[in-house]
Amino acid sequence: MADQSTKETSGENPVGDADGSSAKNATQNISRRRLLGTAGATGLALGAAGGATGYAVGSSDSGSSAEASGQSPALTSVGADMAKFHVKHQAGITDGLQSCGHLVAFDLAAGAGRKEAAALLRRWSDTAQRLMAGEAAAHDDTDVARDAGPSSLTVTFGFGYGFFARTGLEKQRPVALDPLPEFSSDHLDKARSNGDLWVQIGANDALVAFHALRAIQKDAGSAARVRWQMNGFNRSPGATAQPMTARNLMGQIDGTRNPKPSEADFDKRIFVPATGEPSWMANGSYAVVRQIRMLLDDWEQLSVKQQEDVVGRRKADGAPLSGGTETTAMDLEKVDANGDLVVPINAHSRITRPDENGGAAILRRPFSFHDGIGADGTPDAGLLFVCWQADPLRGFVPVQRKLDRGDALSKFIRHESSGLFAVPGGAAEGEYVGQRLLEG
């Protein structure tokens, strides 16, 4: 829960394409022409190689002029937004936060090895490409998302530590994938941690996200079984007057200082360089995944002033307690009339600053979660924390160690599951994700 996060979006992506370019508007125009053609001309037959028709048909009032003329009604901007599959870096890393998400880890089945893993990643990549384009799955599509467009769907794939022994690829396992150290705030459930394979799914429509989750699970077949699965959400696009930094379930604006692709050192901090080691991780990144329960009953007993002192920022607008607006630089030395630091020494936002951690920075892209009410009456809710970095030993680990030594927020959260995954670069045209590892 470092003081770094992605912006929520209102039908737009504030951080550009996954490769850092700013060509999304042009891409969307192309995708709209592709998706929103008239029924008379194309029948909206998306996915000619076995895809069902009608997947990109949006809803409209009955008796509209479009329907009267035999045309398919246009999708809303939310439904028509499309992320690209064949990109330099996999989708789902620099894309704006989506309103719905699923995280799922798989273990390879007994007897499954490199050959089965390659076939599985080939199936998964094909399905992801189709679904991200608003098409049906190639086989046995459930029709759950038939009436929706792509809705900014992203599907991201990663490999866990155990994957390499299962496939005989230990020599290709990155050093950066070594298990994370233990932290004092950990209360980890091993059954809901780690995994051979990891899939992150996000979309701005709940049915589109579920459709992708179900398709990925079905594609696993006999090659892999689900180890754990978690569901998350964020604010929906258009729910605020303008795009703004996300709020978490504590009501705090969460993550003003997230690195931005426009920064000169962004790629160096977040992505493995094209010349990096091992070579199959070129343009990839490492994802740390943590399920963090928020002790909301305890948190909500604090006054707003007490909550702000824990975080170091105003609850209303995210501005630092030292003054200004959300993006004003925090004055760590400012004191009040009594000579006390305005931003407390153990405030969460002070401790997580890169300049307080040897320059360590992570790109946070979380979802909130709520899994009901426990037997003791407390909400099982919090943050599905996902952060990205070129090397977790220089990103997540130093920040978390610093938090372990005195973060005021630690009394109100509990880390209950954890995973670390190597996420290779995006697949080129004609490739599947991970092909350079599995066939190299």
Side-chain angles (χ1 to χ4, degrees), residues 75-237:
L75 290 166
T76 68
S77 60
V78 172
D81 285 346
M82 183 176 74
K84 295 181 290 185
F85 179 78
H86 292 297
V87 286
K88 182 178 180 181
H89 312 296
Q90 285 195 61
I93 301 176
T94 61
D95 303 82
L97 292 178
Q98 298 118 314
S99 61
C100 311
H102 302 291
L103 307 180
V104 55
F106 294 81
D107 285 335
L108 289 174
R114 183 173 177 179
K115 178 181 177 181
E116 290 77 14
L120 173 57
L121 267 296
R122 190 179 294 111
R123 292 195 299 274
W124 275 353
S125 295
D126 178 68
T127 294
Q129 180 180 4
R130 288 172 176 272
L131 269 54
M132 285 171 59
E135 302 173 8
H139 306 287
D140 300 323
D141 192 273
T142 62
D143 283 348
V144 171
R146 171 175 288 274
D147 304 310
S151 303
S152 299
L153 174 69
T154 59
V155 187
T156 316
F157 303 103
F159 303 107
Y161 186 88
F163 176 83
F164 297 85
R166 297 286 188 93
T167 55
L169 291 166
E170 292 99 325
K171 292 183 179 180
Q172 290 297 319
R173 182 167 55 208
V175 174
L177 200 58
D178 285 352
L180 296 172
E182 294 183 359
F183 302 102
S184 63
S185 58
D186 287 352
H187 297 76
L188 303 181
D189 179 356
K190 292 184 178 180
R192 289 171 60 79
S193 298
N194 300 312
D196 293 340
L197 293 156
W198 176 69
V199 185
Q200 173 192 253
I201 295 167
N204 282 328
D205 178 80
L207 288 179
V208 168
F210 175 82
H211 179 240
L213 174 66
R214 185 70 180 123
I216 291 297
Q217 181 189 359
K218 289 172 64 179
D219 277 349
S222 61
R225 59 178 178 82
V226 173
R227 179 180 176 89
W228 54 260
Q229 192 262 312
M230 301 171 186
N231 308 312
F233 59 90
N234 285 303
R235 180 172 272 155
S236 297

Side-chain angles (χ1 to χ4, degrees), residues 49-71:
T53 62
Y55 259 72
V57 179
S59 61
S60 68
D61 295 335
S62 59
S64 68
S65 59
E67 289 178 343
S69 65
Q71 295 180 336

